[in-house]
Amino acid sequence: MKTNLLFGIHCHQPVENFYHVVDEAIEKSYKPFITLAKKFPAFKFSVHFSGWLLEYIEKNDTELFTLLQEMSASKQIEFFTGGFYEPILPSIPSPDRIDQITKLSAYIKKHFAQTPKGIWLTERVWDDSIIADLSACNIHYAIIDDYHLLRAGVEETKTAGMYVTDDSQHSLTLFPINKELRYAIPFQKVDSAVEEIKKTAGENTASILFDDGEKFGLWPKTYEWVFEKKWLKEFLEKIVADDTIESMTFDTFFKKSKPLGTVYLPNVSYFEMSKWSLSPSSFERFEHGEEALQESPSKLYYAGGTWKNFFIKYPESNYLHKRVLDLSGQRTSLKNKKFDDAIFKAQANDVFWHGVFGGLYLPNLRDNAYRFVIEAENLLPEETKALSLTHIKKDGYQEAKFKTPSLIAVFDEKNGGQLRELSMRDALFNYQNTLSRKFELYHKNLFESKESDNDYDAIATIHDEGSFQGESKNIHFDWYPKNSFVDH
């Protein structure tokens, strides 16, 4: 019996990231992958590019953009939609979700002549609240992790296929990514990766992988491995030559197969994210518990925190997030496309969290987010009063917002009147965009010299990279919020 292979790549760069970084991702990852895959037309797969990245490619790399158009026309690839600027959907208001998804779907239809039926959920963050909105956007299926199903009580041996879920009379089909494949491709040798794919065979089952395009060339050591040592070429050759494997788009499988069952998911993301969102002390206790449960069936239900925990872990992230939400509430009355786009750009997920990925510690991403916030502020009608009391953070404390034609200053009652924001409106810059340097659990490795302990036949994944030995002298931690007017 054949194995149905559902293969997808997800490609994203933070909005207005350094252009040389985006160019490197295109040259080392996206373009060589697409160029090589096009030479194997029998290899059917799916792609998701965030809207901002597609716009950048359209303007700056017509060769790659044309390749994508040609592969769409030949039906070799299926485009997935998502929030245009890659927001975490459960973290933004319902109208914003719908408008961001609609914006990307319209772009894909215009340039690639496809109407997307599937959606890439940013960081696979799940919450039932999105189901009705996805239905309103005519989305039929979404990508999650097999971990999501395990958390919902599905048996470990029954995660290789579609499941359906519903909420308030709206239903959605879910495709779970196989964790073993996620760690095998492209890190194990080709034969081992293909054997992992072939472990799943059956009429309504599939080997499912939908993962970061950056792991094919941009992650450490992967360009040499994937392209110079021709891992991807050998992989594609074996897939198309193997009569027991049939690669197809998710849409094809969706139309020809039946769901394995119905499932109701908790609020959840992928397993690693559930650890990263914990405080360092909780993270450490969590890992000790994880080790203790290695041989226990109970490990399937072992869970960390949810994505929104990052707003607790990092108050700076929470303030920025609530600042954007506060402005978003004025979209309906303002009805200004420039205002909407500034809000949507500020909702991009990268700046709100930190783990192996995430960009909260990158000041350029925080500067960009505040730039979009100030752009939105500048499009609002002028205030009749310079000083107003607000509840931006929704935490039971007020903020005093002082707004003039040249600046915006926000003072926080919760922190004894500290200055939380000082934004110059003409420069689109927040001079109070600071971040307290916090202890992270990986700092424990700074004094250690250790090699990656992965057991793969090839190269380490980004999760297995070694420590930053010798960097301890450059690390400092802050014991207070780095606002202004702090009374010690």
Side-chain angles (χ1 to χ4, degrees), residues 123 133 147 246 367 380 387 423 429 432 441:
E123 301 302 328
D133 293 337
Y147 173 65
E246 183 178 359
D367 287 340
L380 292 173
L387 182 64
S423 294
F429 191 83
Q432 189 58 69
L441 193 61

Side-chain angles (χ1 to χ4, degrees), residues 364-409:
N364 64 302
L365 296 190
R366 301 198 312 275
D367 287 340
N368 286 341
Y370 274 110
R371 170 186 143 199
F372 305 135
V373 166
I374 302 165
E375 282 182 359
E377 283 273 8
N378 289 345
L379 291 167
L380 292 173
E382 286 302 319
E383 302 284 350
T384 56
K385 295 188 299 182
L387 182 64
S388 60
L389 295 178
T390 68
H391 292 88
I392 294 172
K393 300 195 307 301
K394 304 291 190 293
D395 61 355
Y397 292 83
Q398 290 183 318
E399 299 88 23
K401 185 177 181 182
F402 186 70
K403 188 173 179 181
T404 75
S406 60
L407 64 83
I408 302 166

Side-chain angles (χ1 to χ4, degrees), residues 338-350:
K338 289 184 178 179
F339 181 86
D340 291 352
D341 218 38
I343 294 299
F344 294 162
K345 288 177 180 177
Q347 291 172 341
N349 81 92
D350 316 83

